[in-house]
Amino acid sequence: MRYLPSLNPGYLTDLIDILAKIKAGPLFGPTLPPEAYTPINLSKENPELQGVELGDPKACQGYIDKVLNWNKATIAYGGYLEQRNLYSGNAAFETGEERRDVHLGVDYWTKAGTKVLTPLDGEIHSFKNNAVKGDYGPTIILKHTEDGFIFYSLYGHLSLESLTGLYVGKQFKKGEVLASLGTPEENVNYAPHLHFQLILNLHGKQGDYLGVCRKSEVQFYKNNCPDPNLLFSL
Ligand SMILES: [Zn+2]
């Protein structure tokens, strides 16, 4: 078994090859057609976001609904390594001299209560309600083993109900319902969405891992959190 005690570039290259070959299942409704998904740009550079207070879940939802309606879609997705204004004004992101504003997962914006499916066979590594405003709210981390490689997937902004009945080591099969999306009250003040992140080394974390980093830290974190789009052919 190859395990990642610390970052190792060879391991990362091999794992990226494996991720690109894995046939992952969808994160949402197995019968949703590709047209149900539309990309969304929440970066600082998007001129449509001028004057939109993304940190306010209602304003953020207003923009998401616009994008969904324009594209006749039900799920708006994106955000890997996107630099965003979504977190400004939140103390948890403003510590130190450099704010954290680069997003390390992919977000899927859709209705609260939407079921989240397990994309790959895995087992519960850990779970926790990260209930501080601006954090993930209810969060699940799955551990996966593929071709002898171990890696993790993190699911944030879930419903509270998603954590009931879980235990460390509980097995989930690809395609099985893992969780459902939380409301802004449960997911600690965001428009409903799934934060999905791949992680190679959890650095000892349980039920939590950094999902937004400083720009100066991007190289380090992108090596530890490969692009989730590798798994999905959207
Ligand atoms: Zn996110």
Side-chain angles (χ1 to χ4, degrees), residues 78-79 84 86-87 103-109 136 156-157 193-197 211-212:
R84 296 174 165 177
L86 182 57
Y87 316 105
H103 188 254
L104 296 168
V106 170
D107 286 329
Y108 295 84
W109 305 86
Y136 288 128
H157 308 297
H193 70 290
L194 171 70
H195 176 99
F196 179 83
Q197 187 169 333
V212 179

Side-chain angles (χ1 to χ4, degrees), residues 1-204:
M1 183 71 64
R2 294 174 70 183
Y3 190 72
L4 185 68
S6 60
L7 285 176
N8 169 338
Y11 186 104
L12 179 67
T13 318
D14 291 352
L15 184 57
I16 283 177
D17 283 351
I18 289 168
L19 291 176
K21 278 185 222 144
I22 291 173
K23 294 255 183 295
L27 285 167
F28 302 98
T31 55
L32 274 184
E35 319 74 92
Y37 293 83
T38 189
I40 190 168
N41 176 357
L42 295 178
S43 74
K44 283 172 146 176
E45 274 72 47
N46 183 354
E48 289 168 7
L49 293 174
Q50 287 273 331
V52 180
E53 197 55 65
L54 282 182
D56 168 13
K58 284 208 178 94
C60 186
Q61 188 67 57
Y63 182 69
I64 291 158
D65 287 341
K66 248 192 231 177
V67 171
L68 290 174
N69 289 337
W70 281 333
N71 295 287
K72 298 187 173 51
T74 49
I75 299 175
Y77 71 95
Y80 182 63
L81 302 186
E82 196 167 69
Q83 193 172 23
R84 296 174 165 177
N85 280 328
L86 182 57
Y87 316 105
S88 48
N90 184 317
F93 295 87
E94 304 276 358
T95 52
E97 287 184 1
E98 192 189 350
R99 68 161 54 139
R100 291 191 292 120
D101 61 2
V102 181
H103 188 254
L104 296 168
V106 170
D107 286 329
Y108 295 84
W109 305 86
T110 189
K111 287 190 175 56
T114 301
K115 299 266 185 287
V116 177
L117 307 180
T118 312
L120 301 167
D121 291 356
E123 65 177 58
I124 298 288
H125 168 273
S126 51
F127 56 96
K128 188 162 120 188
N129 185 10
N130 296 291
V132 175
K133 191 175 169 188
D135 207 325
Y136 288 128
T139 310
I140 295 174
I141 295 179
L142 285 182
K143 176 180 170 184
H144 307 282
T145 308
E146 294 281 345
D147 272 1
F149 282 79
I150 291 175
F151 61 98
Y152 303 89
S153 55
L154 181 147
Y155 307 78
H157 308 297
L158 305 175
S159 64
L160 281 166
E161 189 192 15
S162 305
L163 303 187
T164 49
L166 294 186
Y167 53 88
V168 172
K170 184 173 182 182
Q171 307 279 322
F172 281 88
K173 285 275 168 218
K174 175 175 154 180
E176 225 179 299
V177 173
L178 173 68
S180 60
L181 295 190
T183 62
E185 292 71 35
E186 291 173 300
N187 78 13
V188 277
N189 209 38
Y190 291 100
H193 70 290
L194 171 70
H195 176 99
F196 179 83
Q197 187 169 333
L198 292 174
I199 303 165
L200 307 192
N201 186 337
L202 281 167
H203 300 114

